[in-house]
Amino acid sequence: MLDGHFRKRLDPWLDRAGRGLAARGIGANAVTITGFLLGLAAALAIVLDAFAWGFILVGASRICDGLDGAVARATKKTDFGGFLDIVLDFAFYGLIPFAFILADPYENGLAGGLLLLSFYVNGASFLAFSVMAEKRGLSTDIRGAKSMYFTTGLAEATETIAVFLAFCLFPYWFSEIAVCFALVCFYTALSRIVLARARFKAETKA
């Protein structure tokens, strides 16, 4: 929901930084992998109850996630780069809730499991819609130039990052925040199902 709002303000800064990294010979895939490694470090910090470090590392990881696309735009986009970005993004989104579950299985296990389930369903709705859209030759630039079809929703990257940062700021409220966001993710998946039914059914009739 908020991705478009923040992209308009951040993209000029990211593009400038991306051109600088590209000029130094740093590739987009290297930035993507660095971002994921920072995400791994954030997860480890959370497991060790170092939540302040988790906060910093989650933020640094997602800065890299914005920078990799900027570097790709400054050099050359590749299908593998887009694939790697999506896979490692999904891995990161699973890592952080899992880290909170490991940090306190008794308190966080049920809510964390529900959140991971909602991510699974929401991610499936996103990827399935993208596959069907690609099959029909559909395209959109609503979230900028992407390697695949992006549908908007109530729970997007900005909201997810904000929730992860809130987890680190208020770790003892993890369960409450996780359950609320899981409901938002389920709603987003449902809205994509409704959108897919309307969009693809209409195209079939046409």
Side-chain angles (χ1 to χ4, degrees):
M1 182 177 68
L2 297 176
D3 282 12
H5 174 78
F6 280 97
R7 281 189 63 89
K8 292 177 182 178
R9 287 156 178 76
L10 291 177
D11 274 359
W13 297 89
L14 291 173
D15 285 341
R16 192 176 300 118
R19 288 192 295 270
L21 291 173
R24 290 169 174 78
I26 298 173
N29 291 348
V31 179
T32 300
I33 293 169
T34 299
F36 178 68
L37 293 176
L38 287 169
L40 276 174
L44 179 60
I46 290 164
V47 171
L48 297 175
D49 291 345
F51 299 114
W53 276 108
F55 182 95
I56 293 168
L57 290 165
V58 165
S61 172
R62 294 306 87 191
I63 290 172
C64 288
D65 184 52
L67 279 173
D68 59 4
V71 174
R73 290 191 291 273
T75 52
K76 181 182 179 182
K77 296 179 184 178
T78 66
D79 288 342
F80 176 72
F83 168 83
L84 184 66
D85 182 43
I86 291 292
V87 171
L88 294 187
D89 274 353
F90 273 68
F92 168 81
Y93 292 139
L95 267 174
I96 302 305
F98 185 57
F100 276 94
I101 293 172
L102 290 179
D104 192 340
Y106 180 78
E107 292 292 337
N108 298 339
L110 184 60
L114 179 67
L115 183 59
L116 289 174
L117 173 62
S118 74
F119 281 1
Y120 181 88
V121 175
N122 195 28
S125 72
F126 168 77
L127 293 174
F129 195 103
S130 296
V131 170
M132 296 300 110
E134 179 70 21
K135 180 180 178 181
R136 288 160 174 77
L138 302 178
S139 62
T140 179
D141 60 357
I142 195 168
R143 288 295 178 260
K146 298 287 187 179
S147 56
M148 60 193 302
Y149 193 101
F150 265 60
T151 51
T152 60
L154 193 58
E156 296 185 305
T158 302
E159 291 79 15
T160 306
I161 296 164
V163 166
F164 285 179
L165 294 175
F167 286 160
C168 295
L169 287 174
F170 310 106
Y172 299 109
W173 286 85
F174 172 84
S175 293
E176 291 80 358
I177 299 170
V179 169
C180 289
F181 194 59
L183 295 176
V184 171
C185 290
F186 283 128
Y187 174 82
T188 302
L190 179 61
S191 69
R192 285 202 181 100
I193 293 171
V194 173
L195 175 63
R197 184 178 186 276
R199 186 67 181 271
F200 300 147
K201 186 177 180 180
E203 289 193 353
T204 300
K205 288 181 178 180

